[in-house]
Amino acid sequence: MTPGKHSRALPRAANAGRLQRRPEKRWWTTPQLVATMPVSPAGSHKQQSFGLNNATQPNKSISFFATMKGTSMKSYAGANQSRMVVSKAMLIPSELKTVEKTNPNIKTIQVFDINGIDVTPRPLYHPDPLTGTAKPNKLLTSQEGSLGSEFVSSYSLYQNTINPSMLGQFTRSVLGSSTVSKSSVSTSESIAEDLEESSYKRERLTSFTDLRVMRAAPETVITKEDLEKNIEIILTETETLKFFDLPAVMVSVESEEAEKVIQRNKNYEVLCRNRLGNDLYVERMMQTFNGAPKNKEVQCDKIIMEDKGIMSTAWDLYDSYNAMELLSLSVKQSSPESSSKANVLPKDREQGLAGSTTEKSSEASSLMDIENVILAKIHEDEEDFSDVILKSDRFHQDLLFMERVLMGNIFQPKLAAYRQLPVFKEPEPEEPEDFLENAKHEEVEEEPKKEEEEEIEIDAEESTILANLERLWSFSCELTKGLNVSSLAWNKTNPDLLAVGYGNFGFKEQKRGLACCWSIKNPMWPERIYQSPCGVTAVDFSIGSPNLLAVGYHNGTIAIYNVRSNSNVPVLDSSESPQKHLGPVWQLQWIEQDRGTTGDDKREILVSISADGRISKWVIRKGLDCYDLMRLKRTTVASNKKGGEKEKKDEALISRQAPGMCFAFHPKDTNIYLAGTEEGYIHKCSCSYNEQYLDTYRGHKGPVYKVTWNPFCHDVFLSCSADWGVIIWQQENIKPFLSFYPTTSVVYDVAWSPKSSYIFAAANENRVEIWDLHISTLDPLIVNVANPGIKFTTILFAKQTDCLLVGDSDGQVSVYELRNMPTALDSGQTIDIQETIIKSERTE
Amino acid sequence: MIFLVEETLKRIQSHKGVIGTMVVNAEGIPIRTTLDNSTTVQYAGLLHQLTMKARSTVRDIDPQNDLTFLRIRSKKHEIMVAPDKEYLLIVIQNPCE
């Protein structure tokens, strides 16, 4: 084809029609079947060139006119019906300019999409400038291969308009569906008509520029991260698009328009009737042209469908909402960082694993090697990962829970008894338990009979079932083995927490010391362990800050630990204080002094008494500050024995009484306290006077190991000493009220029962005795003998339950349950106990 | 820190009636176990599913709640599971012993 001839196409327009016939015969069997070519602004031009080409190269294959750049190639839309168009000229890009020159009025239409990218459809066929002739097949193939050109060729369009004989030669339609309008118009139609209509077509074609065709985006490499990125898909409601609106043709009879509609209907009926024979109506026929439909097939890639199902649970939604809220808040916290760090590791590991699996699948060869590598990688990841888990706090806590749960299982009957719950029987009861159960049943049956105390007395001697101590369990572990329990203290707020101090009393027997916090929930291992080279002689929990534990040592140091933390270092230490005690601190107690001497509100102070004869008050301000409350001066030993001969020290009972041997603050008046000394004297002192005693009670002949006020009767107190005796005193009376000398062994500890004002417990060297003054003042109610070699050194009642804790010299703190105790009578009546005691005294 | 953990694990294992203790991670791979591997993996897999179901149940009722501990008492023994997002702590005990 001769591109150059385009320019000459115009003048030959007139002849085009005639000239067309020849090629028509060649290429179309029926000229009528020639489809009209879609109009393009250059349509006229095309036709002319077509004619030209036909004239010049009749033997050449069809060459198609490619529209110029940007010219509306959308002319395929079946625009022109009356044309027969076969343009044979092939427009080479280089010719565009020439063409444009010739037809300056031709608009170049470009298509842009929303983003301003030029998406004008490219021509599907780019002719090879060298080859003039191109067979239809070649045309097709070259057309297929053409990409990136800026203009769209109407090549395919024209293809579509070829008559059926030619259609067979073309195996593809390139530009998509197009309706080829086969005009029935003969080719004899003048081109002039076409020319006229071309302008019309032009306009029509411009409307097609609105069509948007997206160019294929360059392929981007999708990375793994992209795949794993969370893509947010936000579903929003779009505005309602109305695709179809069929207004109703029925109107309700009752509506407002009904009348109008009815009237109109009537009018119409009249009109129809009048139509026949009416001059106003003339029949006329018209013929419509039907376009020839053409089928077009398109092939596309297979659409891959994936099914995904998910169950949306309530918590899933809650989590998602919460996560969104957290993100939107965008609070800068360290916890998200740390959690993200923690998450990074598992993520990495997962990615690593995922990567390894893909490796496996992709490479078939050397599979074994890869597998080994992967396994090695997995193990490495695992190790790192497992360490993270093991170190995490949650794991610690879970371990703690687990241990407690196990303990609960193991000690279940004992703990239930402790907490006074019905004991749960295992479905397979063991033999000894069975007997025990039976024994219990018998006891229960006989209990109602024991209402009267006299009967109890008799029964106690006759029947085998009497009030007894039943050993539930004991707190001990290998750390505490061999140590001497020197002090016991309950926590003020957590009734399950027990502090135990281990340390020898005697100076020569000094070993390492230990202060442990035990929990009822885990009798086999202490919750906190505080070790020290020096024996512990006193422990007490604070009232105001129940996490503070004060520990007194044999060397006079007082240390305060915070049990909430896991550290073993004391929070405060008095070892550097200039006023620290020089002798073993035999007792420590936290006192809440209201209207204290300083005039402040209730402030908590730590009071200690030690072998150096000082009763000191420690205040926690910036450190431990010490003030002396009293200096125990006496003619005899009172003070300044560096713990040499002091054998035992007992510690404070938490409940109300100030425990023994060192001192006891009056439960009501915290200004008054008793102090027991090594001489055997008990001094009543006041915080206001630190030089003089208010009173002195003389009765003991040996060091007083414990003094404790009666929790119900505030005038009565109890003391025990190394002279084998236990004495009950009345506050006003400096002579002993009642004294007991049950055995010939040192009484280390006494304690009042929190439930009854008549009951107290005493720990000898080898016995634990429970006395009930209501029953007898001569004999203890219960006597529990220790195993040989073990001395009972401390005693403590449990508050809410009927249990007694006894510490011994082997490092064990045993928990006993008081069974079959006589029902507690009115414990608050002070008169009774005194009367009873007086009565019993008289009977002695 | 790790030492404490090891100590505690040892102690747990030495308690009365404890048959086995295992710590498995979220994928079912055992980190510490006192039983043989096959048993461990079996327990881990089954308990993992059960834990998920239990947690889902708890949270469905109240999304602010979460599962902290799971105990399964059977005729022969008791399985105690402390679940977490990243691991499972499983202890099997025979309390009657």
Side-chain angles (χ1 to χ4, degrees), chain B:
Chain B
M1 198 67 156
I2 278 266
F3 174 66
L4 260 179
V5 165
E6 299 286 348
E7 272 250 315
T8 315
L9 276 171
K10 247 196 320 187
R11 250 199 348 262
I12 288 180
Q13 177 58 32
S14 64
H15 281 322
K16 194 175 79 150
V18 171
I19 297 168
T21 312
M22 40 193 140
V23 183
V24 288
N25 72 349
E27 327 229 316
I29 299 168
I31 298 172
R32 292 273 186 279
T33 175
T34 58
L35 301 171
D36 55 285
N37 203 30
S38 60
T39 315
T40 306
V41 167
Q42 192 184 21
Y43 266 104
L46 296 167
L47 285 170
H48 187 65
Q49 297 172 32
L50 185 63
T51 314
M52 300 257 287
K53 190 70 184 170
R55 177 178 272 136
S56 177
T57 309
V58 167
R59 295 205 72 203
D60 263 344
I61 294 167
D62 178 10
Q64 288 174 335
N65 206 352
D66 197 5
L67 182 70
T68 50
F69 206 83
L70 186 65
R71 279 168 95 159
I72 304 156
R73 187 80 175 87
S74 75
K75 270 199 239 168
K76 292 194 186 165
H77 41 244
E78 180 163 1
I79 303 169
M80 290 165 273
V81 181
D84 186 86
K85 252 193 304 205
E86 287 146 30
Y87 60 84
L88 276 179
L89 170 63
I90 304 165
V91 174
I92 306 157
Q93 188 198 19
N94 186 357
C96 305
E97 216 183 283

Side-chain angles (χ1 to χ4, degrees), chain A residues 370-398:
Chain A
I370 291 173
E371 273 185 4
N372 290 337
V373 166
I374 291 160
L375 283 171
K377 244 186 5 179
I378 289 173
H379 280 302
E380 281 169 21
D381 292 340
E382 260 181 45
E383 281 164 20
D384 299 335
F385 199 48
S386 66
D387 270 356
V388 170
I389 290 179
L390 290 176
K391 283 182 192 150
S392 69
D393 283 338
R394 280 192 309 230
F395 190 68
H396 276 256
Q397 208 169 27
D398 279 343

Side-chain angles (χ1 to χ4, degrees), chain A residues 602-639:
Chain A
K602 256 196 186 178
R603 203 208 309 160
E604 205 180 14
I605 54 167
L606 177 64
V607 180
S608 67
I609 188 168
S610 91
D612 62 358
R614 283 166 41 214
I615 300 175
S616 339
K617 167 171 100 172
W618 300 81
V619 172
I620 299 173
R621 289 216 186 88
K622 283 175 192 165
L624 271 177
D625 286 336
C626 173
Y627 305 96
D628 274 353
L629 285 178
M630 173 65 70
R631 289 193 175 275
L632 296 164
K633 289 177 211 146
R634 258 316 165 168
T635 53
T636 45
V637 183
S639 54

Side-chain angles (χ1 to χ4, degrees), chain A residues 83-157:
Chain A
R83 274 171 312 152
M84 121 204 89
V85 192
V86 175
S87 70
K88 294 172 190 173
M90 188 56 81
L91 188 65
I92 299 170
S94 57
E95 297 166 358
L96 282 173
K97 294 167 200 165
T98 57
V99 171
E100 279 170 352
K101 281 179 209 160
T102 54
N103 292 325
N105 59 338
I106 292 166
K107 279 189 264 173
T108 61
I109 295 172
Q110 286 182 305
V111 182
F112 294 98
D113 71 353
I114 306 162
N115 297 331
I117 301 169
D118 189 0
V119 291
T120 51
R122 299 177 234 126
L124 292 158
Y125 172 67
H126 297 281
D128 193 5
L130 298 176
T131 59
T133 62
K135 289 182 188 168
N137 296 332
K138 277 194 196 163
L139 284 173
L140 274 174
T141 50
S142 60
Q143 188 168 343
E144 286 171 36
S146 71
L147 281 173
S149 64
E150 295 290 297
F151 51 87
V152 175
S153 69
S154 61
Y155 171 64
S156 62
L157 306 173

Side-chain angles (χ1 to χ4, degrees), chain A residues 294 380 545:
Chain A
K294 177 175 173 119
E380 281 169 21
S545 342

